[in-house]
Amino acid sequence: MRTILVTGGAGFIGSNFVRMVLVEHPDVRVVNLDKLTYAGNLENLAGYKEHANHVFVKGDICDGKLVAELIETHRIDAIINFAAESHVDRSLVDPGIFIETNVNGTLTLLKAALDKKLERFVQISTDEVYGSLGPQGKFTESTPLSPNSPYSASKASADMLVSAFGHSWGLRYNITRCSNNYGPYQFPEKMIPLMINNALHDKSLPVYGDGLHVRDWLYVYDHCTAVWKVLTEARPGAIYNIGGNNEKPNLEVVRLILQYLKKPESLIGYVKDRPGHDRRYAIDSAQIMTELKWKPSVTFETGLAKTIQWYLDHPDWLEHIVSGQYQEYYKTMYSNR
Ligand code: NAD
Ligand code: DAU
């Protein structure tokens, strides 16, 4: 049996990944290290926290002693690093924690992975490290890094540390750079769940700027299958872009959500733009599709319908989040826009 250390496994993508591994790969044990920040939520692991192949540990990836102990005690073979501060808007208010977790935390994990001679280190990065595109073209793995926000700068720094550990000391690593994920268990600070939640409560849907910024939407389960293929089949040192081939302007996505929920377009409210807002992301996934035979399983229309239905079917999950500190967050971020 193989044992993997998944960090950030109580967050949105990490919890979807943990669930997928426990269900589809019964010969794998998962040690799940998560600090349970505002974004970490044990309800994301409902029904799986006590699974025989799952050990949950509340802790910080910046804690080198804890990471080393976990690797030894559980005989970890590989680390998959999902843990991060992940929201661009928060990074524009308080960048320091992004450096601490995304850069120093990754460095701590890298040191431990090298010291314990792990088989593989998979860094979950983002297409935002490439910066912003004009109307044409897509990001490939050789697009130069040109991050624009404190969040993406911290992720690009982490990527460079990972490859430096490979180059300098032979760490066996991979880096994945995916586009915008959506699906079950996403915290409602991100656009899709925020708009769903507001629409459900007949609240204004705050579209930044002209609403014509383009994102390339990737269903979270498809992202998880791609990461699994990278972990198990990729050549060491390879970087893979992962996208959904679903480029959409934000306004179109918001309109689809309103249509699904049978709510009026008059709920759309244009608000002040995000500072330095990247105009367009689009991913060329040819490399992972050709080399690892990965492809996304759902179209955007199907994935979005499944996602909205999931939020409709899980009112308690949503309510537990939006009735707490979230109210304060929303007031701070949106009241003066
Ligand atoms: P998330 O914010 O939902 O979850 C992050 C998780 O990391 C939380 O459970 C949190 O408690 C945990 N965490 C934060 N700091 C920690 C620390 N110091 N030690 C241990 N755990 C800590 O994020 P997400 O959307 O699931 O993103 C996961 C990863 O994927 C991130 O690295 C992010 O940069 C990357 N990514 C996300 C997207 C997206 O669309 N959501 C797209 C591209 C890349
Ligand atoms: O591209 C990958 C990245 O996608 C990840 O690395 C990040 O972790 C993830 O948060 C996401 O970043 P974005 O900034 O693209 O996602 P967000 O959901 O915050 O915003 C998506 C788009 O919607 C963006 O153009 C900003 C816009 N937006 C967002 C919010 C929260 C709005 O118009 N209104 C909003 O209230």
Side-chain angles (χ1 to χ4, degrees), residues 64-97:
K65 190 162 165 276
L66 171 64
V67 172
E69 267 169 29
L70 290 177
I71 293 175
E72 294 230 328
T73 312
H74 298 282
R75 298 165 177 246
I76 300 292
D77 299 304
I79 294 179
I80 303 100
N81 182 28
F82 289 95
E85 288 294 329
S86 67
H87 193 37
V88 174
D89 291 328
R90 288 184 195 253
S91 82
L92 293 161
V93 176
D94 179 15
I97 184 69

Side-chain angles (χ1 to χ4, degrees), residues 121-135:
F121 186 96
V122 180
Q123 173 69 2
I124 307 302
S125 184
T126 167
D127 60 359
E128 297 200 12
V129 297
Y130 297 123
S132 185
L133 289 165

Side-chain angles (χ1 to χ4, degrees), residues 8 10-13 34-37 39-40 59-61 82-84 86 101 124-126 151 155 178-181:
F12 163 49
I13 306 174
D34 196 296
K35 189 177 169 184
L36 296 182
T37 67
D60 194 330
I61 59 165
F82 289 95
S86 67
T101 291
I124 307 302
S125 184
T126 167
Y151 162 72
K155 294 294 290 185
C178 65
S179 55
N180 286 59
N181 283 221

Side-chain angles (χ1 to χ4, degrees), residues 3 21 28 53 63 96 124 151 156 179 210-211 220 241 313 334:
T3 307
V21 174
V28 175
N53 282 351
D63 182 345
I124 307 302
Y151 162 72
S179 55
D210 60 9
V220 64
N241 283 353
D313 293 342
Y334 291 92

Side-chain angles (χ1 to χ4, degrees), residues 17-34:
F17 181 79
V18 168
R19 197 174 310 104
M20 182 204 74
V21 174
L22 294 175
V23 171
E24 297 179 16
H25 304 283
D27 54 335
V28 175
R29 284 178 65 224
V30 178
V31 178
N32 182 350
L33 173 63
D34 196 296

Side-chain angles (χ1 to χ4, degrees), residues 130-160:
Y130 297 123
S132 185
L133 289 165
Q136 304 297 325
K138 293 185 176 207
F139 298 130
T140 70
E141 287 81 357
S142 50
T143 302
L145 302 195
S146 182
N148 287 320
S149 71
Y151 162 72
S152 53
S154 70
K155 294 294 290 185
S157 309
D159 285 13
M160 289 163 123

